[in-house]
Amino acid sequence: MPDAPVRVLVADDEPLVRSGLRLILDAEPDLEVVGEAGDGARAVELTRALRPDVVCMDVRMPGVDGLRATELVLRLPDPPRVLVVTTFEHDGYVLDALTAGASGFLLKRAGADEMVQAVRTVAVGQSLLYPQALRELVRTRPRAAAGAPALTPREREVLGLVAEGMTNAEIAAELVVGVETVRTHVASVLAKLGARDRTQAVVLGYRAGLVEL
């Protein structure tokens, strides 16, 4: 039997944006929009009821905004991946959503192919990292005053390469080590930072001063 399509929930307060995303995603045989929400509260409600694999979340919505909705969705049992979809490249809400555990972000002006690939990327558990855009977002906020987690020199090196958008295989080639060794280091970094995935680890690493801007 073919694999089941990726189930997607679209959360945005603009009906035209929701219908546009549905049109783009439903055109792909491996993607299926299972619901739409016009605000954050409805997004949480539908996530609980429909159990999507990915939530495309606008951060600026009335009532419960996308940031709070992201936090609530990620607290659910077996939570979905959250892809933040935003109008503004340097929106501070995006950084807050990434810190909360969103797997990546994409601008609403992105092309259809880019949107489809972004959903597919986060659906399989990978992070959607745009290193330069992420650095610019982090520059808008002061670094955390609390002490940083104790990473080994090698773990800091690996985290820095993750922040550059490298895959495990690329990091392994760069450091001349095995891919399994890199996976072990990445897992340790995520555990020490309390990060859900690579995107959150990079954001927390920047905020703690573990990764250079």
Side-chain angles (χ1 to χ4, degrees):
M1 291 183 62
D3 292 337
V6 174
R7 295 164 55 81
V8 184
L9 174 68
V10 175
D12 195 291
D13 62 331
E14 293 287 344
L16 279 176
V17 173
R18 295 199 305 272
S19 61
L21 287 174
R22 177 183 281 277
L23 191 66
I24 290 169
L25 299 177
D26 273 346
E28 301 298 319
D30 60 329
L31 304 177
E32 178 188 7
V33 176
V34 295
E36 299 179 21
D39 58 57
R42 183 64 173 159
V44 176
E45 179 183 335
L46 288 179
T47 299
R48 188 179 288 112
L50 300 174
R51 313 275 305 191
D53 302 302
V54 176
V55 178
C56 294
M57 185 83 76
D58 181 20
V59 287
R60 293 185 177 272
M61 294 186 286
V64 177
D65 62 27
L67 170 59
R68 180 60 177 158
T70 295
E71 294 172 342
L72 293 173
V73 160
L74 293 177
R75 290 178 189 172
L76 295 174
D78 191 22
R81 297 282 170 170
V82 175
L83 175 64
V84 172
V85 183
T86 180
T87 303
F88 305 107
E89 191 166 2
H90 303 305
D91 192 338
Y93 273 44
V94 173
L95 182 60
D96 290 334
L98 294 174
T99 303
S103 295
F105 74 97
L106 196 67
L107 297 178
K108 290 184 181 180
R109 65 173 180 267
D113 289 346
E114 195 174 1
M115 174 62 70
V116 167
Q117 189 55 48
V119 171
R120 288 175 176 153
T121 297
V122 300
V124 297
Q126 297 178 10
S127 300
L128 196 66
L129 277 172
Y130 295 101
Q132 183 58 41
L134 192 53
R135 281 194 288 269
E136 291 303 317
L137 279 172
V138 174
R139 286 183 199 279
T140 66
R141 299 289 180 85
R143 290 194 163 179
L151 301 186
T152 66
R154 180 61 97 184
E155 287 169 347
R156 290 189 65 156
E157 191 174 15
V158 168
L159 179 58
L161 295 175
V162 170
E164 291 299 323
M166 288 189 180
T167 64
N168 286 348
E170 290 168 340
I171 295 171
E174 176 76 16
L175 300 180
V176 196
V177 298
V179 174
E180 284 303 320
T181 299
V182 174
R183 287 197 185 104
T184 299
H185 287 312
V186 171
S188 179
V189 168
L190 265 60
K192 289 181 178 180
L193 292 174
R196 170 184 169 86
D197 57 22
R198 296 161 80 99
T199 301
Q200 190 180 29
V202 170
V203 172
L204 295 173
Y206 276 131
R207 298 292 302 278
L210 296 169
V211 180
E212 292 303 318
L213 287 171

